[in-house]
Amino acid sequence: QAQPVESGGDSVQAGGSLTLSCTYSPYITRGACTAWFRQAPGKEREGVATLYHATPITFYESYAPFVEGRFTIFRINGKNTVNLEMNSLSHNDTAIYYCATASNIPKDACQRRSPGDFDNWGQGTQVTVSS
């Protein structure tokens, strides 16, 4: 499978918004998962949000508690692209954001947001939030 490709990372001020994009393999279809992770300096990689591809038109979202209500993950209709819309950003959101995919994965595993369940990773895109 082709490696996911992220874009959209930038420097923003606290309280601002940013949208990241992930273009993934067209082979990611039914029963697959697309996820956003992040890793801040000196910290472990953590799951941010996932999108479970139940069918070509049915998707299920999950979010880490620390982004619930601020971030939204969604697929662009007709495209192999999943965006992460981030609002009310704070300094704590500063990190490299990675897109990852997994094929043939159960829904509960997708929503667990564990890095070990994903086998295809992008190079990452830097998000910096200044106070």
Side-chain angles (χ1 to χ4, degrees):
Q1 293 181 10
Q3 185 178 30
V5 178
E6 306 97 335
S7 63
D10 205 345
S11 297
V12 297
Q13 290 194 334
S17 300
L18 199 61
T19 297
L20 306 180
S21 290
C22 171
T23 301
Y24 55 87
S25 166
Y27 297 104
I28 298 297
T29 56
R30 186 187 303 263
C33 183
T34 307
W36 284 96
F37 290 83
R38 71 185 187 186
Q39 188 165 17
K43 295 188 176 182
E44 294 187 354
R45 190 167 299 188
E46 58 184 2
V48 174
T50 67
L51 194 68
Y52 182 68
H53 304 231
T55 74
I57 60 171
T58 304
F59 303 88
Y60 296 96
E61 307 160 31
S62 78
Y63 298 95
F66 51 81
V67 303
E68 187 84 51
R70 300 190 299 126
F71 290 13
T72 303
I73 186 171
F74 60 96
R75 177 177 172 268
I76 303 298
N77 287 338
K79 295 188 176 182
N80 300 321
T81 301
V82 166
N83 283 1
L84 182 68
E85 180 182 312
M86 307 184 293
N87 299 309
S88 301
L89 287 164
S90 73
H91 179 69
N92 292 333
D93 296 313
T94 295
I96 299 175
Y97 283 72
Y98 297 90
C99 180
T101 61
S103 302
N104 300 316
I105 184 174
K107 179 183 173 184
D108 58 351
C110 172
Q111 297 188 332
R112 193 163 55 209
R113 297 184 300 276
S114 174
D117 289 327
F118 294 82
D119 56 4
N120 203 13
W121 292 81
Q123 294 294 319
T125 186
Q126 177 70 49
V127 173
T128 303
V129 184
S130 57
S131 305

Coordinates of all heavy atoms in Angstrom, one line a residue, residues 18 32 35 38-39 43 50 68-69 81 83 96 98 103 105 112-114 118-119 122 129:
L18 N -6.8 25.0 12.6 CA -6.0 24.5 11.6 C -6.6 23.2 11.1 O -7.2 22.5 11.9 CB -4.6 24.2 12.1 CG -3.4 24.0 11.1 CD1 -3.2 25.3 10.3 CD2 -2.1 23.7 11.9
A32 N -11.6 -0.9 7.2 CA -10.3 -0.3 7.5 C -10.4 0.9 8.4 O -11.5 1.3 8.7 CB -9.7 0.1 6.1
A35 N -6.4 7.0 10.9 CA -6.2 7.6 12.2 C -5.2 8.8 12.1 O -4.3 8.8 11.3 CB -5.7 6.6 13.2
R38 N -0.3 11.9 17.3 CA 0.6 13.0 17.4 C 1.7 12.6 18.4 O 1.5 11.8 19.3 CB -0.1 14.3 17.9 CG -0.6 14.2 19.3 CD -1.4 15.5 19.6 NE -1.8 15.6 21.0 CZ -2.6 16.6 21.5 NH1 -3.1 17.5 20.7 NH2 -2.9 16.6 22.8
Q39 N 2.8 13.3 18.3 CA 3.9 13.1 19.2 C 4.7 14.4 19.4 O 5.2 15.0 18.5 CB 4.9 12.1 18.6 CG 6.0 11.6 19.5 CD 6.7 10.4 19.1 OE1 6.7 10.0 17.9 NE2 7.4 9.7 20.0
K43 N 7.7 13.0 24.4 CA 6.5 12.2 24.8 C 6.3 11.1 23.9 O 6.8 11.1 22.8 CB 5.3 13.2 24.9 CG 5.4 14.3 25.9 CD 4.1 15.0 26.0 CE 4.1 16.0 27.1 NZ 2.8 16.8 27.3
T50 N -9.8 8.8 15.2 CA -9.8 7.7 14.1 C -11.1 7.7 13.4 O -12.2 8.2 13.9 CB -9.6 6.3 14.7 OG1 -10.8 6.0 15.6 CG2 -8.3 6.2 15.5
E68 N -11.7 15.9 22.3 CA -13.2 15.8 22.1 C -13.8 17.2 22.2 O -13.6 18.0 23.1 CB -13.8 14.9 23.3 CG -15.2 14.6 23.1 CD -15.5 13.4 22.2 OE1 -14.9 12.4 22.4 OE2 -16.3 13.5 21.3
G69 N -14.6 17.5 21.2 CA -15.3 18.8 21.1 C -14.5 19.9 20.5 O -15.1 20.9 20.1
T81 N -9.2 10.9 1.0 CA -8.6 12.0 1.9 C -9.4 12.1 3.2 O -10.7 12.1 3.2 CB -8.7 13.3 1.2 OG1 -7.9 13.3 0.0 CG2 -8.1 14.4 2.1
N83 N -9.6 14.4 6.6 CA -9.1 15.7 7.2 C -9.3 15.6 8.7 O -10.1 14.9 9.3 CB -9.9 16.9 6.7 CG -9.4 17.3 5.3 OD1 -8.5 16.6 4.7 ND2 -10.0 18.3 4.8
I96 N 4.2 16.8 16.3 CA 4.2 16.3 14.9 C 2.9 15.4 14.8 O 2.7 14.5 15.6 CB 5.4 15.5 14.6 CG1 6.7 16.4 14.7 CG2 5.3 14.9 13.1 CD1 8.0 15.6 14.5
Y98 N 0.7 12.6 12.8 CA 0.9 11.6 11.8 C -0.4 11.0 11.4 O -1.3 10.8 12.2 CB 1.8 10.4 12.4 CG 3.2 10.8 12.8 CD1 3.4 11.3 14.1 CD2 4.2 10.7 11.9 CE1 4.7 11.7 14.4 CE2 5.5 11.0 12.3 CZ 5.8 11.5 13.5 OH 7.0 11.9 13.9
S103 N -5.7 -1.9 7.5 CA -6.7 -2.7 6.8 C -7.2 -3.8 7.6 O -6.5 -4.4 8.4 CB -6.1 -3.2 5.5 OG -5.5 -2.1 4.7
I105 N -9.3 -4.3 10.0 CA -9.2 -4.1 11.5 C -10.6 -4.0 12.1 O -11.5 -3.4 11.5 CB -8.4 -2.9 11.8 CG1 -8.2 -2.7 13.3 CG2 -9.0 -1.6 11.2 CD1 -7.2 -1.6 13.6
R112 N -9.7 2.1 19.6 CA -8.8 2.0 20.7 C -7.7 3.0 20.5 O -7.0 3.4 21.5 CB -8.3 0.6 20.8 CG -7.5 0.2 22.0 CD -7.5 -1.3 22.2 NE -6.9 -1.9 21.0 CZ -7.2 -3.1 20.6 NH1 -8.0 -3.8 21.2 NH2 -6.6 -3.6 19.5
R113 N -7.4 3.4 19.3 CA -6.3 4.4 19.0 C -5.0 4.0 19.5 O -4.2 4.9 20.0 CB -6.7 5.8 19.6 CG -8.0 6.4 19.0 CD -8.3 7.8 19.5 NE -8.5 7.8 20.9 CZ -9.6 7.5 21.5 NH1 -10.7 7.2 20.8 NH2 -9.7 7.5 22.9
S114 N -4.6 2.8 19.3 CA -3.3 2.3 19.7 C -2.4 2.2 18.6 O -2.7 1.6 17.5 CB -3.4 0.9 20.3 OG -2.2 0.3 20.6
F118 N -1.6 -0.1 13.9 CA -1.5 0.5 12.5 C -0.2 0.2 11.9 O 0.9 0.2 12.5 CB -1.7 2.0 12.7 CG -3.1 2.4 13.1 CD1 -3.4 2.4 14.4 CD2 -4.0 2.8 12.2 CE1 -4.7 2.7 14.9 CE2 -5.3 3.1 12.6 CZ -5.6 3.0 13.9
D119 N -0.2 -0.2 10.6 CA 1.0 -0.7 9.9 C 1.4 0.2 8.8 O 2.4 -0.2 8.1 CB 0.7 -2.1 9.4 CG -0.5 -2.2 8.5 OD1 -1.1 -1.2 8.2 OD2 -0.8 -3.3 8.1
G122 N 2.4 7.8 7.7 CA 3.0 8.9 7.0 C 4.2 9.5 7.6 O 4.6 9.0 8.7
V129 N 1.8 25.6 18.1 CA 0.8 26.5 18.7 C 1.6 27.4 19.7 O 2.1 27.0 20.7 CB -0.4 25.9 19.4 CG1 -1.4 26.9 19.8 CG2 -1.0 24.8 18.4

